[in-house]
């Protein structure tokens, strides 16, 4: 049985973690799979798939960046016994590359985002990482972006929602006008959401999903007119129920590789409002299954249209569900599994 190592710096409740765990689940059907990360950075509430091992490497450092650097150096020695190494965030491409050369192993870089969003030297190291290993990408947008950076793309799929999002019984009770996934990273552009709250003149009911309590507090301070409920879901079913109880989803991200929340909302028949951020434009089409905005005035107009125009809402809702059905996650990840199995 082949041994596969998946390298990651942290497991958190994010779309990228969800994809990685589902990929590990697929690979575990024919391989001995280990997810390797620094000790103390397994912070996800998502279920770890059966037969997938979690290896946490001890680090003497409490500061995150120091712990990461120690891990990146130390993990090279752990990779000697693995047949295939898969890096999943640009710093992990470096130990994967060196291990592949030292131990003559096969290594790949699983790219879910164009990660040159940090600035300075980090962007340089990120750019270099794309040239170190053969690349597996999660949609046509990322494939194009990688090729423009002279990367060797060897496998491309189109990531979509998990089948449970398409198959779970629909909940009809609507409590919220919209649902919003709040994240602290600058490119997630929380400021657009906060500005929207200030400028939208009619009271709304809003569901905010986040794993970061500080974001809840920040949103509370900026909100005076709207009814906002905050959620920290611990399961996929909780996320489905929150989406089902909302009329539409808002995404303010400035840059995305594919972005799962809009697709998950579409799989429940919910239209989405998005800033044009790259990856989502593979599946989201203006006035077909989504509305795009480029400034706050356009965002306000888009929300008003979908809340008031029932015909437009129903049309986008039906098209959203049809779109989501085209790319079930499990089927797309099976393509990656088959690719790696043949290596």
């Amino acid at each position: 049985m082949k041994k596969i190592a998946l390298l990651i710096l942290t497991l958190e409740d994010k779309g990228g973690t969800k994809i990685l765990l589902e990929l590990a689940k697929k690979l575990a059907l024919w391989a001995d799979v280990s997810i390797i990360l620094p000790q103390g950075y397994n912070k996800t509430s998502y279920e770890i798939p059966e037969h997938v091992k979690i290896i946490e490497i001890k680090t003497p450092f409490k500061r995150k960046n120091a712990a990461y650097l120690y891990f990146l150096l130390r993990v090279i020695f752990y990779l000697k016994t693995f047949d295939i190494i898969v890096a999943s965030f640009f710093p992990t491409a470096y130990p994967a590359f060196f291990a592949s050369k030292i131990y003559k192993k096969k290594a790949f870089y699983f790219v879910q985002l164009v990660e040159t969003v940090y600035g300075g030297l980090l962007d340089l190291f990120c750019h270099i990482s794309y040239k170190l290993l053969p690349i597996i990408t999660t949609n046509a947008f990322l494939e194009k972006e990688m090729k423009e950076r002279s990367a060797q793309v060897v496998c491309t799929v189109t990531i979509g929602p998990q089948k449970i999002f398409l198959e779970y019984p629909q909940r009809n009770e609507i409590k919220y006008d919209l649902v919003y996934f709040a994240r602290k990273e600058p490119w997630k552009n929380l400021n657009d959401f906060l500005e929207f709250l200030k400028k939208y003149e009619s009271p709304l009911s809003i569901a905010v999903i986040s794993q970061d309590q500080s974001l809840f507090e920040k949103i509370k301070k900026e909100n005076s007119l709207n009814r906002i409920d905050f959620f920290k879901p611990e399961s996929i079913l909780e996320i489905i129920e929150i989406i089902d109880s909302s009329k539409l989803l808002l995404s303010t991200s400035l840059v995305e590789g594919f972005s799962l929340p809009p697709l998950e909302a579409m799989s429940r028949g919910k239209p989405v409002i998005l800033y044009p951020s790259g990856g989502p434009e593979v599946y989201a089409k203006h006035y077909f299954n989504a509305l795009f905005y480029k400034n706050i005035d356009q965002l306000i107009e888009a929300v008003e249209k979908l809340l008031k125009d029932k015909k437009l809402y129903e049309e986008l809702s039906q098209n959203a569900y049809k779109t989501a059905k085209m790319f079930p996650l499990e089927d797309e990840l099976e393509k990656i599994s088959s690719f790696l199995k043949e290596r």
Side-chain angles (χ1 to χ4, degrees), residues 112-329:
Q112 301 189 55
L113 172 69
V114 180
E115 294 162 334
T116 52
V117 291
Y118 302 99
L121 277 176
L122 286 179
D123 278 4
L124 175 61
F125 282 119
C126 181
H127 184 77
I128 293 171
S129 73
Y130 295 139
K131 300 180 182 181
L132 295 178
L133 300 169
I135 298 286
I136 299 171
T137 66
T138 49
N139 62 29
F141 165 77
L142 286 171
E143 179 182 22
K144 178 176 176 290
E145 291 290 316
M146 291 300 101
K147 287 181 176 178
E148 288 178 355
R149 290 162 172 78
S150 302
Q152 178 194 1
V153 179
V154 293
C155 180
T156 296
V157 297
T158 303
I159 291 297
Q162 293 164 282
K163 287 181 179 178
I164 189 171
F165 278 89
L166 294 162
E167 298 170 353
Y168 192 73
Q170 190 77 34
R171 175 179 173 177
N172 295 319
E173 183 184 1
I174 299 295
K175 294 182 179 179
Y176 304 103
D177 295 305
L178 63 87
V179 57
Y180 179 74
F181 285 71
R183 293 268 295 276
K184 65 183 178 182
E185 294 88 346
W187 62 90
K188 295 296 182 179
N189 195 21
L190 177 66
N191 287 337
D192 266 13
F193 179 64
L194 299 178
E195 189 69 17
F196 168 75
L197 293 180
K198 291 178 184 177
K199 289 191 172 183
Y200 199 85
E201 295 179 350
S202 302
L204 296 171
S205 54
I206 301 172
V208 173
I209 296 175
S210 181
Q211 297 298 321
D212 190 334
Q213 185 63 37
S214 67
L215 294 185
F216 293 156
E217 300 304 322
K218 187 173 184 177
I219 292 169
K220 282 180 183 178
K221 288 180 181 178
E222 298 291 339
N223 177 62
S224 59
L225 181 64
N226 306 286
R227 181 193 133 213
I228 300 181
D229 289 341
F230 299 95
F231 298 92
K232 195 175 182 180
E234 296 183 355
S235 71
I236 290 173
L237 291 183
E238 284 186 64
I239 295 174
I240 289 175
E241 290 177 358
I242 297 165
I243 291 174
D244 279 0
S245 65
S246 307
K247 294 178 182 176
L248 57 95
L249 176 137
L250 168 62
S251 173
T252 58
S253 293
L254 300 174
V255 57
E256 288 285 0
F258 55 89
S259 191
L260 269 182
L263 272 169
E264 291 170 347
M266 286 183 174
S267 70
R268 307 304 294 172
K270 309 296 180 177
V272 298
I273 298 174
L274 308 129
Y275 186 89
S277 56
E281 289 158 77
V282 170
Y283 57 82
K285 305 301 177 185
H286 193 47
Y287 275 94
F288 177 73
N289 53 22
L291 294 180
F292 285 97
Y293 79 93
K294 292 185 178 180
N295 56 54
I296 300 302
D297 289 339
Q298 289 181 3
L299 172 54
I300 290 171
E301 181 183 353
V303 171
E304 287 181 340
K305 279 184 179 179
L306 286 179
L307 293 182
K308 294 177 180 179
D309 189 334
K310 291 183 178 180
K311 183 178 179 182
L312 176 64
Y313 180 92
E314 287 300 323
E315 182 180 336
L316 267 60
S317 173
Q318 292 175 15
N319 291 334
Y321 180 70
K322 291 176 184 177
T323 300
K325 285 176 65 178
M326 294 170 62
F327 313 112
L329 177 63

Side-chain angles (χ1 to χ4, degrees), residues 25-60:
K25 182 178 179 180
K26 284 288 183 184
L27 297 175
L29 295 175
W30 57 269
D32 182 357
V33 180
S34 297
I35 297 174
I36 310 179
L37 73 164
Q39 188 178 54
Y41 288 86
N42 180 6
K43 301 176 181 179
T44 184
S45 63
Y46 299 150
E47 183 180 357
I48 303 300
E50 190 178 4
H51 306 306
V52 172
K53 300 170 187 170
I54 298 293
I55 299 176
E56 297 190 43
I57 295 179
K58 291 183 179 180
T59 171

